């Protein structure tokens, strides 16, 4: 919080005009806003702006604690600094519609979900092992304002399965859903691990956008230890793992500026992974992994997939301002239960933006999320219970209720108090095959305060 205090003393500086993210601009992984055009404190020198080179620095620091619930009571302070650079090659050397983007994370502190809660819906989107890490680095070519091809080390969470009305929340799963982060190798292409790949985006009509991407299927590569340790600095640049394909169709209405209607969007998409996956219950000989006679090695299954849908709709607009008003969102996904810990995921909520004229950029949101432990994994728990006794805990599902407020102290500086209630962390118990096997987990309440500083 020392950085926040220094910024408060420095004053507002020359803040840029606050603008909403253009879908074809690089998005800041911390806030979802564009790294090219955004509100800042104006403290970061950008002497090469006219030449097409833009620097951005974002600091996020937060305090989180769980006075009740989880595996134990704890409190943590964690932070992440995002250093980003964007280059417009048309301004720099005359190459039309060609851009470059890269960013590096400096990550410090602990993690409440990792260290105390052991829950599935991580309570913070910046929770990660301390390190200095290269995140995204890519080049993008556009053809007019309809087609854009991006290639390099990419993340998927800012373009796939997203809703604009989740940006006020700090829980990780309200960004990149747990149905993907817990089922895909290394968590999929999302913070803190981006992945080598290519993405093609096409605005087929004013009301239809198509997106497809092909990624290396495991950013950290194979192994049994933490993926963040296997790719500690974000420079593995793997390209030879079985691939991951993502695809999405977006149908939108009333999205043009000046349209008197209320904007909305419906997305339908999915992912397909071509690698090997472990059975959630049986070993290679058909015995339950709970059976003392089992070799303890899960049966191998070929390939995996998921399908999902996203709906968002503005319900009320303040005057003619497209950003201010009330919006709702809902998302749902499904993956096969035999090879995935989470087979059904859903979330939904609403966001209030700038309803008070005196605070046009403040946001308030309420949301709920649900992650079902797959029937196959639940069956494994019952197998353990039959062996260990009736006291063995059974996992079922994890539910999140959360509320957050984003208070703009001044352009470039915001405070976000938030509260999260987690019903049945980890589905009610830890992984029976993990280090804390067979441990009951009680309902948890998490209180937090986040500061976001854009220099």
């Amino acid at each position: 919080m020392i950085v926040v205090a220094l910024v408060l003393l420095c004053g507002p500086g020359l803040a840029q005009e606050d603008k909403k993210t253009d879908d074809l601009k690089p998005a800041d992984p911390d806030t979802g806003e564009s790294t090219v055009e955004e509100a800042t404190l104006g403290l970061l020198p950008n002497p090469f702006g006219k030449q097409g080179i833009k620097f951005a620095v974002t600091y996020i620091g937060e305090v989180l604690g769980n006075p009740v619930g989880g595996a134990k009571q704890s409190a943590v302070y964690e932070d992440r600094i995002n250093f980003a650079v964007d280059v417009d090659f048309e301004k720099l050397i005359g190459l039309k519609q060609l851009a470059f983007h890269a960013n590096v994370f400096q990550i410090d502190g602990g993690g409440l979900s990792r260290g105390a809660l052991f829950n599935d819906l991580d309570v913070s989107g910046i929770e990660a092992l301390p390190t200095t890490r290269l995140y995204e680095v890519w080049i993008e070519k556009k053809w007019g304002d309809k087609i854009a091809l991006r290639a390099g080390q990419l993340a998927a969470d800012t373009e796939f399965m997203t809703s604009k009305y989740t940006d006020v929340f700090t829980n990780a799963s309200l960004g990149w859903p747990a149905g993907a982060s817990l089922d895909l190798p290394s968590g999929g292409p999302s913070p803190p691990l981006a992945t080598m790949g290519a993405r093609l985006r096409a605005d087929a009509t004013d009301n239809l956008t198509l997106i497809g991407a092909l990624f290396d299927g495991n950013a950290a590569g194979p192994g049994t230890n933490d993926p963040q340790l296997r790719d500690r600095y974000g420079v593995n640049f793997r390209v030879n793992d079985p691939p991951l394909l993502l695809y999405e169709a977006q149908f939108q209405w009333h999205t043009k500026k000046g349209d008197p209607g209320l904007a909305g969007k419906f997305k339908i998409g999915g992912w397909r992974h071509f690698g090997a996956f472990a059975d959630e219950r049986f070993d290679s000989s058909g015995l339950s992994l709970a059976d003392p006679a089992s070799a303890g090695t899960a049966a191998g299954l070929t390939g995996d997939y998921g399908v999902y849908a996203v709906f968002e709709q503005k319900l009320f607009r303040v005057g003619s301002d497209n950003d201010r008003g009330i919006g709702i969102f809902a998302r749902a996904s499904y993956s096969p239960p035999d090879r995935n810990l989470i087979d059904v995921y859903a979330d939904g909520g609403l966001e209030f933006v700038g309803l008070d004229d005196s605070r046009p950029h403040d946001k308030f949101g309420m949301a709920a999320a649900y992650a079902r432990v797959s029937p196959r994994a639940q069956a494994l728990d019952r197998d353990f219970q039959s062996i260990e006794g009736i006291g063995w805990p059974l996992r079922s599902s994890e539910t999140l209720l959360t509320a957050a407020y984003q208070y703009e102290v001044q352009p470039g500086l915001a405070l976000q108090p938030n509260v999260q209630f987690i019903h049945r962390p980890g589905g009610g118990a830890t992984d029976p095959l993990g280090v804390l096997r067979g441990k009951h987990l009680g309902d948890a309440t998490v209180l937090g305060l986040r500061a976001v500083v854009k220099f």
Side-chain angles (χ1 to χ4, degrees):
M1 298 301 290
I2 294 175
V3 175
V4 178
L6 289 174
V7 173
L8 286 168
L9 292 174
C10 288
L14 300 175
Q16 299 176 12
E17 180 185 359
D18 187 28
K19 296 184 179 180
K20 197 69 176 176
T21 302
D22 182 327
D23 286 340
L24 293 180
K25 293 174 182 174
D28 185 331
D30 300 321
T31 63
E33 294 181 345
S34 171
T35 57
V36 178
E37 294 182 86
E38 58 189 346
T40 73
L41 292 168
L43 301 177
L44 179 67
N46 263 298
F48 307 109
K50 292 183 178 180
Q51 288 75 39
I53 302 175
K54 167 72 166 37
F55 299 100
V57 177
T58 301
Y59 172 85
I60 291 185
E62 64 185 3
V63 177
L64 289 166
N66 62 313
V68 295
K72 62 180 180 180
Q73 279 64 65
S74 184
V76 300
Y77 180 78
E78 56 194 1
D79 61 38
R80 183 170 78 188
I81 307 175
N82 178 30
F83 302 91
V85 59
D86 292 280
V87 180
D88 183 338
F89 284 109
E90 185 169 355
K91 292 182 179 179
L92 185 65
I93 54 177
L95 295 177
K96 292 186 177 181
Q97 295 193 296
L98 187 67
F100 169 83
H101 172 79
N103 65 310
V104 173
F105 290 154
Q106 175 59 50
I107 305 169
D108 295 291
L112 196 66
S113 285
R114 175 188 294 267
L117 297 172
F118 299 102
N119 67 314
D120 294 331
L121 309 179
D122 286 356
V123 295
S124 174
I126 69 168
E127 179 174 318
L129 293 178
T131 189
T132 300
R133 177 185 298 282
L134 176 67
Y135 189 52
E136 288 193 298
V137 53
W138 46 256
I139 289 179
E140 182 174 65
K141 170 63 178 175
K142 298 177 184 177
W143 289 268
D145 58 357
K146 297 294 185 182
I147 299 177
L149 176 64
R150 183 179 294 179
Q153 183 157 285
L154 312 175
D157 66 304
T158 57
E159 295 190 283
F160 292 89
M161 310 185 209
T162 63
S163 170
K164 64 187 292 184
Y165 297 121
T166 63
D167 59 356
V168 70
F169 303 106
T170 58
N171 186 282
S173 194
L174 290 168
W176 184 240
S181 65
L182 293 176
D183 292 343
L184 289 170
S186 299
S190 66
L193 296 176
T195 311
M196 296 298 292
R199 182 274 282 152
L200 180 64
R201 179 188 182 97
D203 291 315
T205 70
D206 289 342
N207 303 107
L208 174 63
T209 297
L210 303 174
I211 312 177
L214 188 66
F215 296 93
D216 180 89
N218 193 338
T224 57
N225 62 335
D226 193 304
Q228 295 180 48
L229 294 176
R230 300 201 303 272
D231 187 14
R232 188 64 181 265
Y233 305 107
V235 293
N236 281 12
F237 301 130
R238 296 186 63 84
V239 295
N240 56 350
D241 300 293
L244 167 66
L245 174 68
L246 284 92
Y247 48 90
E248 182 175 290
Q250 303 178 0
F251 305 90
Q252 53 256 347
W253 49 92
H254 303 310
T255 55
K256 288 187 176 181
K257 288 187 177 182
D259 193 317
L262 296 174
K265 187 174 290 188
F266 176 72
K267 306 178 182 181
I268 186 168
W271 55 267
R272 173 77 179 179
H273 198 291
F274 295 87
F277 288 79
D279 193 288
E280 288 290 326
R281 184 185 184 188
F282 297 112
D283 69 7
S284 54
S285 62
L287 293 175
S288 169
L289 292 166
D291 193 320
S294 170
T297 302
L301 302 172
T302 301
D304 199 359
Y305 72 90
V307 292
Y308 64 87
V310 181
F311 172 77
E312 62 182 40
Q313 176 65 52
K314 176 152 284 188
L315 300 179
F316 170 74
R317 182 171 55 205
V318 178
S320 59
D321 193 319
N322 290 324
D323 292 339
R324 297 171 62 189
I326 302 173
I328 60 171
F329 72 93
R331 302 185 298 176
S333 68
Y334 171 82
S335 296
D338 59 347
R339 65 203 69 194
N340 293 292
L341 176 64
I342 303 299
D343 69 324
V344 173
Y345 175 85
D347 62 29
L350 67 166
E351 184 180 65
F352 303 82
V353 182
L355 298 187
D356 188 335
D357 289 339
S358 65
R359 307 221 44 89
H361 301 130
D362 281 12
K363 300 177 181 180
F364 172 71
M366 298 180 293
Y370 169 84
R372 187 177 75 175
V373 177
S374 71
R376 190 79 137 225
Q378 293 184 45
L380 176 63
D381 288 354
R382 289 192 292 272
D383 294 341
F384 270 102
Q385 190 180 69
S386 68
I387 296 170
E388 302 289 344
I390 194 65
W392 187 270
L394 303 178
R395 294 170 294 172
S396 58
S397 62
E398 179 173 314
T399 302
L400 166 74
L401 299 175
T402 184
Y405 187 85
Q406 181 175 300
Y407 178 83
E408 185 186 62
V409 179
Q410 61 188 60
L413 173 60
L415 299 176
Q416 289 177 268
N418 63 90
V419 59
Q420 304 179 49
F421 174 73
I422 302 163
H423 179 53
R424 299 181 63 86
T430 56
D431 181 356
L433 301 174
V435 176
L436 297 175
R437 62 194 301 269
K439 184 176 178 63
H440 289 268
L441 295 176
D443 293 351
T445 298
V446 176
L447 304 176
L449 177 63
R450 171 178 288 191
V452 181
V453 185
K454 290 178 170 289
F455 296 96

